[in-house]
Amino acid sequence: MSEDALTPESTAPGSSAPDAAAPDASAPTAPTAQASPTATEHRHAHVEAGGMPAWVAIALAAIGGALTAVQSRVNGQLSASIGDAYTAAVISFGSGLLILLVALAVWRPGRTGFRNVATELRAGRLHWWMLLGGVAGAWFVATQGLSAGVIGVALFTVSIVAGQTVGGVVFDLIGLGPAGRRPLTAPRAIGALLALGAVTWTLSSEIGGAAPVLLVLLPFTAGFGSAWQQAVNGRVRVAASSALTSTLVNFTVGTAVLVVVMVVHSSSVGWPTSLPAEAWLYTGGLIGCIFIAVQAVVVRVIGVLVLALAGVAGQLTAALALDLLVPVGGQTVDVATIGGAALALVAVIVASTRWTRSRHVVAPSAPGADATSDAPGAVRAGSDAGGTEPAGGGPVSRGS
């Protein structure tokens, strides 16, 4: 049976297909809980194969978003204190790498994860460029040092939000992340446009003002790269079966890139002469370890776009609180910044809310099984993504 043949309309009680014959009551009933070997298996969108409910994944993504805003403030202040954004970025990434190496020494599953990744690379189920998520992470941290300390965390975060949202739409559409392809529905497209509108509104008060436009646009590119990073890190995490492994790969690549950039830059303009004494300025790496690991875990459950949008709520809440309570460099939060942040939250709601009632067709459970469980043979229709999705958010085959 083809996947398209199993729909709510064709299986609803009381309905019959024009060419379907009535079942023979005397004939033995074939088991229906078993899906065809060639049929694509599906699970409900709100529960990942490992059993994590979507609301838990969204809550964790929101916490990770708040930590992103906090890291922006920390790295921005570190950069201002040192007078060199690239050195600040190396300190942030490098300290995170050291923390992860210590964790790897005492956590055996993390070491096993590297063997798993090597196996997946040899089998062609994981591509080498998927190990380069740290490059986008390095750029993200560099933009924090270059712009967050100048334009303020709120403005920085709104621009990040737009890039993450657009990137989430693109990478979900092509199925780059471990959750597979998620079609571009009207709510997702509207949400992305609203996010762009949020940035335009926020920028309207800054054009010709104190904040350089380029420093506001840089975070947009970092946000787009962050969405790509979340997708490929999620693929590495699935291949390794360890969030520690994927996070360490990310930090190793990112640190290497930033060290090269720092050496080139400092060789031409000079090296920093002193480092700040405040201990909290060196916590950016630890914060990054936490939210990168969280993203690698939950992206398989909720996809790239929803991960980005769920993180938006945490980012904006923490960012606005920081700019209101502890402003930097005389930066104030004006009406356009607040309005842009509010519009970005509307974009989150529009893109992540299921606007049409979903209907599920679930294969009958085997005797003694829970009839309400997510059976492997269940096919979901009318989802918020506008169609069916791979089982448990599994990756889409790419000819491997």
Side-chain angles (χ1 to χ4, degrees):
M1 175 183 292
S2 67
E3 181 178 322
D4 293 337
L6 187 57
T7 63
E9 289 75 14
S10 63
T11 60
S15 65
S16 59
D19 58 345
D24 184 358
S26 62
T29 302
T32 56
Q34 297 292 331
S36 170
T38 60
T40 302
E41 295 184 351
H42 300 268
R43 290 183 185 271
H44 292 269
H46 53 274
V47 178
E48 186 253 349
M52 179 186 291
W55 70 267
V56 173
I58 291 173
L60 290 174
I63 294 172
L67 290 175
T68 303
V70 174
Q71 188 197 49
S72 298
R73 168 59 61 89
V74 171
N75 288 343
Q77 287 295 100
L78 178 62
S79 173
S81 298
I82 296 177
D84 188 336
Y86 302 104
T87 301
V90 169
I91 292 174
S92 178
F93 249 82
S95 61
L97 178 59
L98 291 176
I99 293 171
L100 292 170
L101 288 174
V102 172
L104 185 69
V106 299
W107 185 247
R108 183 176 179 179
R111 299 192 296 273
T112 303
F114 284 99
R115 291 196 293 270
N116 295 338
V117 168
T119 299
E120 294 298 293
L121 286 170
R122 287 193 297 269
R125 291 185 291 268
L126 186 71
H127 303 291
W128 65 267
W129 52 265
M130 292 180 179
L131 304 178
L132 303 180
V135 174
W139 175 239
F140 187 96
V141 172
T143 59
Q144 287 177 336
L146 288 169
S147 60
V150 178
I151 66 177
V153 176
L155 187 56
F156 176 88
T157 303
V158 171
S159 189
I160 284 284
V161 164
Q164 288 176 326
T165 303
V166 174
V169 169
V170 171
F171 299 126
D172 268 353
L173 185 62
I174 65 177
L176 178 62
R181 291 189 179 93
R182 299 194 175 209
L184 178 60
T185 60
R188 291 180 177 225
I190 294 172
L193 292 175
L194 287 175
L196 291 174
V199 176
T200 302
W201 188 1
T202 305
L203 284 173
S204 65
S205 66
E206 300 298 335
I207 297 177
V213 176
L214 177 61
L215 293 185
V216 181
L217 294 178
L218 286 180
F220 178 87
T221 64
F224 190 88
S226 177
W228 177 79
Q229 178 190 25
Q230 292 162 1
V232 296
N233 281 354
R235 293 288 293 271
V236 175
R237 187 265 172 188
V238 171
S241 299
S242 170
L244 175 59
T245 303
S246 61
T247 308
L248 181 57
V249 169
N250 178 86
F251 270 79
T252 301
V253 173
T255 301
V257 171
L258 287 172
V259 166
V260 172
V261 174
M262 180 192 68
V263 170
V264 173
H265 173 75
S266 297
S267 297
S268 59
V269 303
W271 295 84
T273 57
S274 62
L275 296 176
E278 295 88 344
W280 67 272
L281 292 177
Y282 301 96
T283 60
L286 174 61
I287 295 171
C289 290
I290 297 172
F291 73 72
I292 291 296
V294 167
Q295 291 170 351
V297 171
V298 303
V299 67
R300 187 181 183 187
V301 186
I302 56 181
V304 182
L305 177 61
V306 177
L307 169 59
L309 295 180
V312 165
Q315 288 180 37
L316 293 179
T317 301
L320 285 174
L322 287 170
D323 274 0
L324 287 170
L325 300 176
V326 194
V328 295
Q331 182 72 28
T332 59
V333 179
D334 57 14
V335 174
T337 302
I338 296 175
L343 186 58
L345 287 174
V346 173
V348 176
I349 296 172
V350 171
S352 60
T353 299
R354 183 177 295 166
W355 295 98
T356 58
R357 183 179 180 182
S358 293
R359 291 177 293 180
H360 296 72
V361 178
V362 184
S365 302
D370 183 359
T372 62
S373 64
D374 293 331
V379 176
R380 182 171 56 83
S383 71
D384 58 333
T388 58
E389 298 176 10
V396 176
S397 173
R398 284 175 170 74
S400 58

